[in-house]
């Protein structure tokens, strides 16, 4: 089906009303133009339609400048902090977040919708979903990192999908890079790992001076198409003020919560498809984000490409 930017923009303006992508009977509000650009088929049920629309809009919005991105995430109720039931409430949230008046935000939403329509019709997508690896890939990786503990502690919940005929071991790893002049090699004992469910750790090995490889054996052999959930806890002194995922295997979703200790960092930035070395280089640009009143940030990343870094970097308050 051939669609125009005018058709897509018109349907997006309908979609932003009410609860946005969280609206009841969303499938009834998604017209033929959005069906085409979001890859929706007649066989898709309501849940699949909602997921496809949310994923497609989220990916396209991620390519836009910061002000348009914030405005549109609020408009369609895609931002976790702006899932208000009424469109005008989400506009008000965006206005406060951007320190602009509501009229300016509405203009930016209209401008952003036109840009979205152009991207959608042109088929431009910032990052293609990676092809599955030969053995397995991560469908969801959810991490909660607490930096206000005596030793930083991270809970990791991972769902993997098997792409090979059979596997009986999952290869995981964690990198703790050295900070500044501290180039002391990492020791295996610097990282504590506990498995809460999903298998048994069968091996730990130093893959480099700052990277520890972990082998986890599931309770039973996994076969092609199986989904398997894992829960781990990591405790280690972070050697750099950042937490990033640099996937070895493709990853569909990375959801990251970080709780900072007081005093809060002087600066916090989001890193999205950054070079791994840029994660520890404060001259490398990131998107500024603000911790909430609890001292927490929450960021999501989709379609992670192996070898690139996704996560959060912060700059501690200077001593004295």
């Amino acid at each position: 089906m051939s669609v125009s930017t005018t058709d897509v923009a018109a349907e997006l303006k309908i979609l932003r009303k009410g609860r946005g992508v969280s609206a009841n009977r969303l499938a009834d509000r998604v017209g033929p133009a959005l069906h085409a650009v979001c890859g929706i088929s007649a066989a898709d049920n309501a849940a699949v339609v909602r997921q496809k629309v949310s994923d497609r809009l989220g990916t396209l919005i991620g390519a836009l400048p910061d002000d348009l991105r914030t405005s549109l995430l609020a408009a369609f109720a895609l931002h976790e902090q702006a899932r208000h039931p009424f469109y005008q409430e989400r506009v008000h949230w965006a206005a406060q977040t951007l320190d602009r008046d509501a009229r300016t935000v509405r203009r930016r939403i209209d401008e952003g919708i036109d840009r979205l329509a152009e991207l959608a019709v042109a088929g431009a997508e910032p990052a293609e979903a990676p092809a599955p690896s030969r053995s397995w890939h991560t469908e969801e990786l959810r991490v909660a990192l607490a930096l206000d503990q005596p030793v930083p502690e991270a809970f990791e919940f991972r769902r993997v999908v098997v792409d090979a005929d059979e596997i009986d071991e999952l290869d995981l790893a964690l990198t703790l890079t050295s900070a500044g002049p501290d180039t002391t090699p990492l020791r295996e004992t610097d990282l504590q790992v506990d498995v809460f469910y999903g298998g048994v750790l069968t091996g730990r090995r130093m893959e480099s001076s700052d990277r520890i490889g972990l082998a986890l054996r599931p309770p039973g052999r996994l076969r092609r198409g199986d989904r398997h959930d894992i829960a781990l806890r990591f405790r280690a002194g972070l050697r750099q003020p950042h937490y990033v995922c640099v996937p070895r295997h493709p990853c569909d979703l990375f959801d990251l919560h970080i709780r900072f200790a007081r005093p809060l960092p002087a600066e916090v930035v989001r890193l999205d498809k950054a070079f791994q070395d840029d994660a520890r280089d404060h001259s490398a640009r990131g998107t500024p984000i603000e911790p909430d009143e609890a001292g927490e940030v929450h960021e999501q990343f989709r379609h992670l490409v192996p070898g690139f870094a996704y996560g959060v970097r912060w700059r501690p308050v200077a001593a004295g």
Side-chain angles (χ1 to χ4, degrees), residues 174-178 182-188 190 205-212 239 280:
L174 193 77
T175 299
L176 295 173
T177 50
S178 297
D182 179 13
T183 57
T184 306
L186 182 68
R187 300 168 300 177
E188 287 188 33
D190 291 335
R205 63 185 182 279
M206 297 302 303
E207 297 184 344
S208 69
S209 62
D210 59 7
R211 186 176 180 89
I212 297 178
R239 308 172 93 196
R280 55 178 177 263

Side-chain angles (χ1 to χ4, degrees), residues 103-227:
R103 183 178 299 178
T104 299
V105 169
R106 289 191 180 93
R107 286 200 302 267
R108 291 185 181 176
I109 291 172
D110 287 339
E111 177 188 348
I113 283 177
D114 290 339
R115 294 280 296 278
L116 276 188
E118 292 171 2
L119 289 172
V121 171
E125 194 163 337
E128 292 294 331
S133 68
R134 294 180 182 179
S135 54
W136 59 274
H137 70 277
T138 299
E139 185 174 72
E140 291 184 3
L141 173 60
R142 300 184 183 274
V143 174
L145 171 64
L147 296 174
D148 59 347
Q149 302 299 306
V151 176
E153 188 166 329
F155 286 88
E156 175 182 299
F157 302 91
R158 184 189 297 259
R159 173 170 294 164
V160 303
V161 180
V162 180
D163 302 312
D165 290 336
E166 288 187 346
I167 61 171
D168 53 16
E169 185 178 270
L170 301 170
D171 57 314
L172 310 172
L174 193 77
T175 299
L176 295 173
T177 50
S178 297
D182 179 13
T183 57
T184 306
L186 182 68
R187 300 168 300 177
E188 287 188 33
T189 53
D190 291 335
L191 175 66
Q192 298 180 53
V193 185
D194 298 300
V195 181
F196 279 31
Y197 58 77
V200 177
L201 282 180
T202 57
R204 293 166 60 113
R205 63 185 182 279
M206 297 302 303
E207 297 184 344
S208 69
S209 62
D210 59 7
R211 186 176 180 89
I212 297 178
L214 304 170
L216 184 138
R217 185 180 69 239
R221 182 161 294 182
L222 302 176
R223 293 175 171 77
R224 185 184 297 273
D226 283 352
R227 284 172 166 76

